[in-house]
């Protein structure tokens, strides 16, 4: 970048010197041969440069030669020749027996209209602490991500242990009603464990729903469908992506609806299929679970909602969505619609 100064070259030079000398930031004024014409007091202090010996010396000779970085000197020569410009250039200033500093430099050519009077204004910012803070933040975020993923694995494993205990208890009790409640509890714990396990194996942040639902349904099928030759669980999902929090709610809704279909849609060990679908358009989306089973009972509208229905309604409300129930002829379809 070149600054055209419409003043007499002597006046312009005096102005540049005054600017450098009054600056609180590290600034160096260089001539066409990259020799120091002037430098701010903050430059001398920040980089332990002797102000009495700096004037008239090449930039590369300052200190113990640490400013003689070949790439920097090449860029400065190209800038003063008008072939390039330095807006933001970062480099490490390495000095013997001193801490290496990370610097951000900007070089601006001052053109006085005199071919022999070109000057280069070099401003320097020490960003060492800022870069160290950024690295610390990144390291902490990575550590947090690893700990969170480990926690998710542990929670999923613990839930699976609880589910196994419930299943063993259900097999031992004599009361059919108690056994049914224990089986329901087992299925719900398994559904939460399955969702948790899928999140633990997925990347944090945005979740791609197609592989997420496919893995989720594979786990549900393996744990809840005893005869997969007669009953199958399929997935039709577009390329939608959502955040982890939303995916948790969607996964819990899917597991509740799948459990409900397995429990009611195929009595007497009927054969059939359950389909999980998801499609988005703009900001709207529809999640559906349909089956080709016996369909909705005649008194479904007047029936008291069970725990599963209450969970689905609560999760849908959390997603600002509504629940739609329809006959699929054959079977039934339940959709969660976010308009």
């Amino acid at each position: 970048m070149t600054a055209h100064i419409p003043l007499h070259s002597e006046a312009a030079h005096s102005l540049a010197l005054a600017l450098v000398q009054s600056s609180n930031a590290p600034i160096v004024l260089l001539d066409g041969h990259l020799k120091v014409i002037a430098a701010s007091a903050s430059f001398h202090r920040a980089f332990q440069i002797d102000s009495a010996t700096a004037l008239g010396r090449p930039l590369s000779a300052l200190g113990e030669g640490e400013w003689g970085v070949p790439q920097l000197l090449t860029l400065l020569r190209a800038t003063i020749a008008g072939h390039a410009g330095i807006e933001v250039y970062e480099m490490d200033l390495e000095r013997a027996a001193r801490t290496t500093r990370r610097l951000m430099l900007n070089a601006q050519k001052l053109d006085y209209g005199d071919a022999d009077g070109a000057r280069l204004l070099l401003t320097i910012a020490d960003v060492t602490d800022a870069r160290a803070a950024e690295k610390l933040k990144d390291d902490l975020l990575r550590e947090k991500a690893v700990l969170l993923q480990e926690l998710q694995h542990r929670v999923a494993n613990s839930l699976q242990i609880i589910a196994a205990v419930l299943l063993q208890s259900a097999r031992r009790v004599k009361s059919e009603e108690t056994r049914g409640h224990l089986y329901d509890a087992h299925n719900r714990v398994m559904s939460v464990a399955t969702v948790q396990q899928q999140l633990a194996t997925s990347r944090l942040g945005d979740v791609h729903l197609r592989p997420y639902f496919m893995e989720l349904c594979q786990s549900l099928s393996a744990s809840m469908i005893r005869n997969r030759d007669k009953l199958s669980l399929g997935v039709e999902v577009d390329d939608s992506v959502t955040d982890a929090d939303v995916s948790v709610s969607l996964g819990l809704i899917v597991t509740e609806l799948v459990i409900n279909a397995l429990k009611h849609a195929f009595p007497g060990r009927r054969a059939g299929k359950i389909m999980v679908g998801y499609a988005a358009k703009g900001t709207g989306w529809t999640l559906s679970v349909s089956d080709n089973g016996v369909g909705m009972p005649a008194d479904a509208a007047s029936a008291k909602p069970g725990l599963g229905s209450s969970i689905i309604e609560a999760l849908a409300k959390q997603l600002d969505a509504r629940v739609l129930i329809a006959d699929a002829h054959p079977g039934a379809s339940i959709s969660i619609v976010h308009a």
Side-chain angles (χ1 to χ4, degrees):
M1 181 180 294
T2 302
H4 294 279
I5 304 177
L7 298 175
H8 187 273
S9 60
E10 186 176 345
H13 181 66
S14 299
L15 180 61
L17 287 176
L19 174 65
V20 171
Q21 292 168 356
S22 62
S23 174
N24 292 322
I27 296 182
V28 181
L29 183 63
L30 303 171
D31 66 12
H33 302 288
L34 302 184
K35 292 183 178 180
V36 177
I37 298 173
S40 64
S42 57
F43 172 80
H44 295 300
R45 287 195 305 271
F47 304 107
Q48 294 85 47
I49 302 296
D50 185 0
S51 58
T53 60
L55 296 183
R57 298 184 68 191
L59 177 69
S60 58
L62 297 183
E64 297 179 4
E66 60 267 19
W67 290 92
V69 178
Q71 186 176 3
L72 172 63
L73 298 179
T74 299
L75 285 172
L76 292 177
R77 292 188 186 101
T79 300
I80 205 162
H83 302 315
I86 302 178
E87 295 287 343
V88 176
Y89 173 69
E90 287 196 28
M91 59 168 274
D92 288 327
L93 186 69
E94 299 178 354
R95 301 171 294 179
R98 294 178 187 172
T99 303
T100 298
R101 308 301 294 177
R102 186 69 175 177
L103 306 182
M104 182 181 294
L105 291 82
N106 173 280
Q108 186 176 25
K109 181 182 177 182
L110 305 180
D111 191 349
Y112 300 146
D114 179 0
D116 297 326
R119 299 290 184 266
L120 200 64
L121 193 64
L122 181 65
T123 58
I124 304 152
D126 190 332
V127 296
T128 307
D129 295 339
R131 294 294 179 266
E134 290 174 3
K135 183 178 184 302
L136 177 61
K137 178 183 177 181
D138 291 341
D139 290 344
L140 289 174
L141 288 174
R142 280 192 293 270
E143 182 180 356
K144 179 182 177 182
V146 171
L147 291 175
L148 179 58
Q149 201 164 36
E150 177 64 22
L151 177 62
Q152 288 175 335
H153 276 297
R154 290 179 181 271
V155 170
N157 291 338
S158 298
L159 289 170
Q160 288 174 343
I161 292 172
I162 294 171
V165 172
L166 288 170
L167 187 59
Q168 290 177 358
S169 300
R171 290 168 177 168
R172 287 198 300 265
V173 298
K174 297 180 179 180
S175 167
E176 287 294 332
E177 182 180 0
T178 302
R179 184 180 297 112
H181 290 318
L182 287 172
Y183 274 127
D184 284 345
H186 163 264
N187 288 339
R188 287 200 167 83
V189 172
M190 276 301 300
S191 73
V192 176
T194 301
V195 171
Q196 192 72 29
Q197 189 66 46
Q198 299 310 318
L199 289 177
T201 56
S202 67
R203 294 176 60 184
L204 298 176
D206 289 342
V207 176
H208 292 264
L209 290 181
R210 181 185 293 153
Y212 171 66
F213 280 136
M214 289 184 67
E215 292 177 13
L216 175 60
C217 289
Q218 286 172 3
S219 297
L220 290 172
S221 177
S223 62
M224 297 183 186
I225 298 179
R226 297 179 182 178
N227 189 348
R228 276 174 274 172
D229 292 331
K230 298 185 68 175
L231 277 178
S232 62
L233 181 56
V235 175
E236 289 183 354
V237 178
D238 62 16
D239 295 327
S240 295
V241 177
T242 188
D243 61 54
D245 290 338
V246 172
S247 72
V248 171
S249 297
L250 294 176
L252 290 174
I253 290 173
V254 167
T255 51
E256 283 294 335
L257 291 176
V258 169
I259 288 172
N260 186 65
L262 291 172
K263 188 175 181 181
H264 301 292
F266 306 101
R269 302 194 178 190
R270 290 170 57 109
K273 185 173 185 176
I274 302 170
M275 286 298 302
V276 175
Y278 184 96
K281 186 176 182 180
T283 58
W285 52 261
T286 299
L287 170 68
S288 64
V289 176
S290 58
D291 63 74
N292 60 355
V294 297
M296 303 297 297
D299 61 345
S302 59
K304 183 179 179 181
L307 176 60
S309 299
S310 300
I311 292 173
I312 293 167
E313 288 284 354
L315 291 169
K317 185 177 181 181
Q318 183 181 11
L319 295 171
D320 194 22
R322 55 198 176 101
V323 181
L324 300 179
I325 302 174
D327 286 318
H329 305 294
S333 176
I334 301 178
S335 301
I336 314 299
V337 181
H338 176 81

